Amino acid sequence: MTSPCGSEFPAECMLDPDTKYQCGEPGDRPLPIAKFPPGGCNETVDPFKPDPCKCFKNRTICGSLIVKNGCTRIPITATSIYECVDTKEPTEINQCLSPKVCTQTSEGATCSETPCTCGSEGAKICGAAADPTCGLDPKSSYICTGGGSVQNNTCTTACDFTEGECFDKCECPAGGLVCGSTFPGCGLNDQSLYTCVKGRKPVLLRECKPGQCISGSAPPITFAYPGPESGEYQDTCGPNPCYCDPGEQLNYRSHLN
């Protein structure tokens, strides 16, 4: 059962954008359940869409990476170190004062006067997370060896800042049903619906009519923290977008092998 805002439906459905509706059985008309002040409905938390200002792992992280992940809801100081506890908002614990800068490896964040020198042997780092003056390839991962960074892998798609490791953005970071357009450059049909299982490639479920593959809440796929972790896809492929989600979406696990 889902609870979308009226604004999530096409204008021709003539639903109130500031009202939250309940979708029950497949094919039901949306049922109004709550009225919000103007613009207030979309401000409610979507359980399928991760909050970029909340932690997804327990570790320290540079504020600059939280900002890069798209956090704008709370003030974040890019030059500070934050303590992250899973599902909580990050807490500032230290500010890196010039000439020190915040550096990020798989072991966490530190303030360093020499950001291009690794502190811990064997720690991993994404080139995109390093200080630009270090000259590291932003699409590669590195291992700290002898105080320096040695290239480990060339990331074909993305690198997770918090782990310092590559991941394949053509693999599903979450389960659910998803339109092919969510995975650009992966050889999928934009107007087809695919079944996603976390860690696997999308599998074609069925083709949609032109313009009928409708994106719901989609987990982010970026170079930034929190990398590949997120909620569930909930895209649809139906003839009438004014109706509630079709049964295929609500029961996508029945399509899994």
Side-chain angles (χ1 to χ4, degrees), residues 49-135:
K49 189 173 184 179
D51 184 345
C53 296
K54 286 191 176 181
C55 300
F56 285 79
K57 295 178 182 177
N58 299 323
R59 66 187 60 192
T60 54
I61 187 167
C62 294
S64 59
L65 301 185
I66 301 175
V67 173
K68 186 174 287 189
N69 190 51
C71 177
T72 58
R73 182 174 54 80
I74 59 176
I76 295 292
T77 303
T79 56
S80 291
I81 295 176
Y82 287 79
E83 180 72 36
C84 253
V85 177
D86 192 20
T87 74
K88 306 295 183 181
E89 291 183 356
T91 302
E92 186 177 18
I93 58 173
N94 191 18
Q95 187 171 2
C96 300
L97 301 177
S98 182
K100 293 184 177 181
V101 297
C102 188
T103 60
Q104 184 78 40
T105 71
S106 57
E107 296 184 348
T110 57
C111 292
S112 174
E113 292 186 13
T114 54
C116 299
T117 301
C118 286
S120 300
E121 189 76 11
K124 299 176 182 178
I125 184 173
C126 291
D131 190 279
T133 61
C134 299

Side-chain angles (χ1 to χ4, degrees), residues 20-37:
K20 185 172 284 292
Y21 293 82
Q22 179 175 294
C23 279
E25 295 298 322
D28 283 354
R29 276 288 187 180
L31 177 68
I33 56 175
K35 175 72 174 177
F36 292 83

Side-chain angles (χ1 to χ4, degrees), residues 112-178:
S112 174
E113 292 186 13
T114 54
C116 299
T117 301
C118 286
S120 300
E121 189 76 11
K124 299 176 182 178
I125 184 173
C126 291
D131 190 279
T133 61
C134 299
L136 301 185
D137 178 6
K139 292 188 177 181
S140 292
S141 63
Y142 294 79
I143 294 180
C144 296
T145 302
S149 301
V150 177
Q151 189 175 30
N152 183 31
N153 287 305
T154 298
C155 302
T156 56
T157 54
C159 188
D160 180 355
F161 285 158
T162 57
E163 299 295 340
E165 294 182 342
C166 301
F167 70 94
D168 187 350
K169 73 174 184 181
C170 289
E171 290 183 352
C172 300
L177 296 185
V178 62

